[in-house]
Amino acid sequence: MSQRRQTSVKRLLRGAICTLGLAGTTAWADYSFVVEPIYGPQKAAEVYKPLIDYLAKATGEKFTLVTPKNYHFYWRDLRANEKFDFALDEAHLADYRVARFQFVPLVRTAERQSYTLVTNVDLQGKGLDALVGRKIVCMGAPSLGYALLLGFYPNPIQQPDIESSAASWRDAVEAVFAGEAEAAMVPTWLKDQYPNLTPVKTSVEFAGAAVSAAPSVPAATRTKVAEALLKLDQDPALSNLLLELGISKFVAATTDDYKSAETMLKGFYGYQ
């Protein structure tokens, strides 16, 4: 074989190897899926693993679950537009992603979301005022529950003692039963599971939590994920996940579902 022909063959082989390498990279694209920290990292990994496994099986794509430590880190990363491909957020945070970083809402929970302040204390008809100066447990800022609780007490000199130490909304309820707090701010769907607690006030409703996609995610992948999530309730293996999240199914979402919800974040540090 001539020297010139050997050189041509080597070039062709190198080109083929590069092409295969690029194709392999595309086939193994790994999409990050970050979830709002309504659970601690360990519990979140347990709760959402079936969802990640389902998406991988239904779409043929690879997903990596990201479970932030708490709301402080979550809010910091959100404001910095830390690179995530998919996110599961409640209304105010979903709207922030859409308005600031052009995320595309794919689906939302079928149930609308509200929060209820609950207690086992005898309020003697005094309502919210009876809890001024008393301890109320809630998830950390800027969770939607925390933001709505602040709205219940607009007077700066008539405030409850808000403790954002709960690792989950269920933990907030348990703190009331354990006598560690007089009240808790929890999702209304969760309140309905504890008929022995007294509801003090229920907030306005928002569209349910949304799964959104970064603008960098290919349209074909966004479509596959949306279609899979819309059929998620048909998989019996996912029934426990739906029960844990307090939802029945996902439905299609639009940006209009969340318009202006981000205004709930105005009172928190770093909002712009």
Side-chain angles (χ1 to χ4, degrees), residues 32-35 74 84-89 97 103 210-214:
S32 55
F33 195 115
V34 66
V35 293
Y74 194 66
F84 297 117
D85 298 303
F86 294 92
L88 175 57
D89 298 299
R97 287 190 194 276
F103 268 61
V211 175
S212 61

Side-chain angles (χ1 to χ4, degrees), residues 3 24 46 53 74 106 136 142 149 175 179 185 194 199 225 245-246 265:
Q3 183 67 32
E46 176 186 328
D53 291 345
Y74 194 66
L106 304 178
I136 298 177
L149 179 58
M185 188 70 163
Y194 297 90
V225 169
L245 297 179
L265 295 164

Side-chain angles (χ1 to χ4, degrees), residues 4-28:
R4 179 178 296 177
R5 187 173 180 184
Q6 287 178 349
T7 300
S8 297
V9 170
K10 288 179 181 178
R11 286 176 178 170
L12 287 171
L13 287 172
R14 282 199 298 268
I17 291 171
C18 288
T19 300
L20 287 171
L22 289 172
T25 301
T26 302
W28 289 99

